[in-house]
Amino acid sequence: MKDKFQLDFDCLQVVLIIEVRGACRCNELVNFKIGDVDNVKSNLLVKISHTKTNKDRSFIIMGEQYLSIYRKYVALRPKDFIETRFLIKPK
C-alpha cells in the first residue's frame, strides 16, 4: 500500500514538472512514452511528439530536485511492466 501511494504521489509530481516546464496539453501527457525522456548529464531532455500543431518539440528540465523526483518515479515503476507509456496508474 505504501509503494502504491508513493508511486501515485511521485507520478503526480512528475506530471506537474513535465506539464508546467513543457507547457504540455493533457493528450500530450497521455501519449508520453518512456523513450521520450533522456537523462543527459544532470538534466532531462524531454521530447513531445503527436502535438496538436503536428510539430514535435523538446525541452530540458534542469535541477537536481526535479531529477531526483524523476529517478524515484522510474525506480518505483514495476520492472515487468510491458506498457511503454511513461505515466501509469498502479493497481
Side-chain angles (χ1 to χ4, degrees):
M1 180 71 173
K2 184 179 177 184
D3 281 344
K4 181 194 177 309
F5 175 75
Q6 189 63 46
L7 186 61
D8 284 344
F9 182 71
D10 290 339
C11 181
L12 179 60
Q13 287 182 313
V14 169
V15 166
L16 290 173
I17 291 167
I18 293 171
E19 181 180 30
V20 171
R21 293 286 183 166
C24 297
R25 295 178 176 93
C26 289
N27 65 327
E28 294 169 347
L29 291 173
V30 169
N31 295 325
F32 198 60
K33 305 288 184 205
I34 295 171
D36 292 340
V37 180
D38 289 327
N39 196 349
V40 180
K41 295 184 183 178
S42 61
N43 301 318
L44 294 176
L45 174 61
V46 181
K47 300 171 200 154
I48 304 293
S49 54
H50 310 295
T51 64
K52 182 179 175 182
T53 59
N54 294 323
K55 292 183 181 178
D56 295 350
R57 68 180 191 280
S58 60
F59 57 95
I60 294 175
I61 297 176
M62 299 183 297
E64 187 57 41
Q65 74 256 22
Y66 302 127
L67 198 58
S68 66
I69 292 168
Y70 163 78
R71 287 180 180 149
K72 198 160 103 175
Y73 173 72
V74 169
L76 286 172
R77 281 178 58 96
K79 302 297 182 218
D80 59 346
F81 201 68
I82 298 171
E83 180 64 51
T84 60
R85 290 173 59 185
F86 184 76
L87 304 170
I88 61 169
K89 181 174 181 167
K91 294 181 180 180

